[in-house]
Amino acid sequence: MTEPDPVPSAPAVSPAPSLFVAPSAPASATPSAPASASAPFPRPEHRPHVAVADSDPRRRGYDRGRQLVPALHGALETYDRLFALGGIRPETVRDDARRALDAVDAFRPALREQIQGIAAGAGVEAWRIAALNARTEILARSTAVPPGECSTIVRAARTPDGAGRTHVGVQTWDWHVELSPYWHTVESAGGTHRYAGLTEHGILAKIGVNSAGLALHFNILGHEDDRAGGIPVHVLAALVLEEAGSVAHARELVESAPLTSSGSFMLFDADSAVLLDLSPVGVFEAPRVAPDTHLRTNHFLTEVPAAREKTRLYQPDSGERFGFLRERLGRAGDHGRDGGAGEAGGAGQDGGAGQDGGAGQDGAGPVAGFAAGPRDGARALPPVPVTVEGLPRELVTGPGEPPVTCVPDLAAPPGRRWASLATVVLDPATRTARVLDGTPAEQFSRPWIPLRA
């Protein structure tokens, strides 16, 4: 079969003004950083950036695969080792990948075309790229026990002019340090919406924001029924970023997908935010920890999927991180530091048990330390941070604290060396993503990469 000719990459795009502006010096209120924060693990000297723009999904994928050669082959080899460390046989990986590719084809053929295009551009078999996109589902078979994962905060915020209300989010992307060389920033155009963000080599999407102002943070969860055979959660992230024009639209797409695995999608735009537990037994809305704040680590926050959670995967680590961050954010709310629902804050338009979360189906209300705020319909505006260190510094932890900032033990065996490979701030009001190539503690010593959808 004749491969398509390479297509030119999308032109570079200058970032728009954002809620977040780079500071000239560290803030005095920054929580303690790990002693090894200056250089906790090796990173590439130059982080790859992939920009593609083509209305034909296969050509768009082909261009992406072509740009990632030869590094993509290193990602494939690394995942081969991780699958083997998890006790997963190569033929099982291949079969799971092919079943995932068939599920994608049945649900959104254009997404299969992109995966096949990446494979063609990189010169590998399609199932190899499908295995990367379905790595969460394949690793659900693993006999290894990972030590931790990602942490996410989304809060209501003032718009840059101070007159309006929006949402901003931050998360760590924690993963095996062996994958440090094999992720890139991405700008993709040609679908319904343009999107920008971070993903791994060969994987369609992960964390990002699109040109409609829809933002997505992504955490992994674990359920006893997780398996390959449905649409992979990373492919679903690509679908949301390419097609969704609002939080409501994104939720419809997620709820329509044939899921056989678990994850968490934090979906937000300027007007609303929703946190979803995704699982083989359904999609469920998780409650906020306060009227203006969503918090996520790596355990289910709703009753139905939690009944069959793989607690051995992320507990007690996930619960410890969640409790620590909830308490920290509560103290911030009490003292009016960095937002919350303090004296100048309040519930805002989402106050109480509204459609945007509130008490949620589990009846979980605001936590201690957060004032409920006015409930008379007033649009109270919480005083959340307006500098790049504001939200990321909430994710900085040091010795004796739960490892929200994840620094690997490089003496540990492969497969047990986890790191905060990146920190990502999403600002849907300005359609911007800011990616820190490092841990939250490195925000003044490592580069921030600005992107605009």
Side-chain angles (χ1 to χ4, degrees):
M1 181 171 62
T2 302
E3 302 296 350
D5 294 330
V7 295
S9 299
V13 177
S14 301
S18 171
L19 282 169
F20 300 99
V21 292
S24 58
S28 59
T30 302
S32 58
S36 57
S38 59
F41 56 91
R43 271 69 61 94
E45 185 176 352
H46 300 290
R47 178 64 57 190
H49 177 71
V50 172
V52 293
D54 197 294
S55 59
D56 181 86
R58 194 170 193 280
R59 289 176 59 88
R60 195 157 71 245
Y62 183 89
D63 192 20
R64 183 186 290 207
R66 180 181 57 81
Q67 292 184 53
L68 287 171
V69 174
L72 181 53
H73 293 268
L76 289 165
E77 292 170 1
T78 302
Y79 268 107
D80 284 346
R81 291 193 292 271
L82 288 177
F83 293 146
L85 285 169
I88 308 170
R89 297 172 61 86
E91 56 268 30
T92 301
V93 173
R94 183 191 62 233
D95 292 345
D96 281 353
R98 287 174 172 169
R99 289 194 295 127
L101 198 57
D102 288 343
V104 172
D105 187 46
F107 186 62
R108 282 295 192 282
L111 294 173
R112 178 175 182 148
E113 288 291 311
Q114 285 192 58
I115 292 170
Q116 291 179 316
I118 292 172
V124 299
E125 294 181 81
W127 73 263
R128 297 282 281 155
I129 303 301
L132 295 180
N133 282 272
R135 57 90 158 162
T136 299
E137 291 70 22
I138 296 170
L139 286 170
R141 296 178 177 273
S142 176
T143 56
V145 179
E149 251 270 7
C150 313
S151 303
T152 299
I153 300 168
V154 169
R155 312 194 78 170
R158 293 179 184 270
T159 52
D161 61 9
R165 188 175 191 275
T166 184
H167 291 85
V168 292
V170 64
Q171 82 165 92
T172 57
W173 174 47
D174 302 340
W175 197 225
H176 299 279
V177 74
E178 292 86 355
L179 271 300
S180 176
Y182 303 124
W183 65 267
H184 62 277
T185 53
V186 61
E187 294 172 83
S188 177
T192 304
H193 303 293
R194 177 187 180 91
Y195 69 86
L198 170 157
T199 191
E200 298 175 66
H201 292 1
I203 295 180
L204 292 182
K206 185 184 296 290
I207 303 160
V209 62
N210 72 16
S211 54
L214 186 280
L216 167 64
H217 283 301
F218 181 3
N219 294 48
I220 294 299
L221 308 176
H223 192 275
E224 294 289 354
D225 297 336
D226 286 343
R227 63 196 185 278
I231 184 168
V233 286
H234 283 88
V235 177
L236 184 57
L239 173 66
V240 165
L241 289 171
E242 284 195 359
E243 292 193 13
S246 65
V247 168
H249 185 195
R251 184 170 184 166
E252 289 175 4
L253 291 172
V254 171
E255 291 178 338
S256 70
L259 281 169
T260 59
S261 57
S262 300
S264 166
F265 278 11
M266 179 69 242
L267 302 164
F268 58 108
D269 54 26
D271 298 321
S272 60
V274 63
L275 178 59
L276 299 178
D277 281 353
L278 282 56
S279 77
V281 295
V283 176
F284 304 88
E285 181 176 346
R288 294 165 289 173
V289 296
D292 290 308
T293 304
H294 283 92
L295 174 63
R296 164 67 77 187
T297 52
N298 299 99
H299 59 279
F300 288 107
L301 298 175
T302 56
E303 182 178 359
V304 174
R308 286 182 51 78
E309 182 166 31
K310 286 184 179 178
T311 55
R312 64 187 178 277
L313 286 183
Y314 303 121
Q315 295 291 19
D317 175 85
S318 180
E320 291 171 350
R321 285 182 287 122
F322 188 90
F324 176 85
L325 290 172
R326 182 173 60 183
E327 182 179 355
R328 174 178 279 180
L329 293 169
R331 290 197 304 268
D334 274 344
H335 301 116
R337 182 179 68 82
D338 292 348
E343 180 180 352
Q349 64 182 0
D350 295 332
Q355 62 181 4
D356 193 19
Q361 60 188 24
D362 294 337
V367 299
F370 287 89
R375 296 181 181 273
D376 58 0
R379 290 173 59 87
L381 300 175
V384 306
V386 292
T387 56
V388 75
E389 83 273 15
L391 275 178
R393 73 184 181 193
E394 301 292 359
L395 299 179
V396 177
T397 54
E401 296 175 326
V404 176
T405 297
C406 191
V407 178
D409 177 2
L410 296 178
R416 292 185 174 271
R417 299 180 292 188
W418 280 43
S420 294
L421 298 182
T423 307
V424 186
V425 174
L426 299 180
D427 176 1
T430 55
R431 281 69 167 161
T432 55
R434 294 180 181 269
V435 180
L436 173 63
D437 191 352
T439 75
E442 297 179 285
Q443 60 182 302
F444 300 106
S445 60
R446 296 284 299 170
W448 283 92
I449 305 166
L451 303 167
R452 186 186 181 192

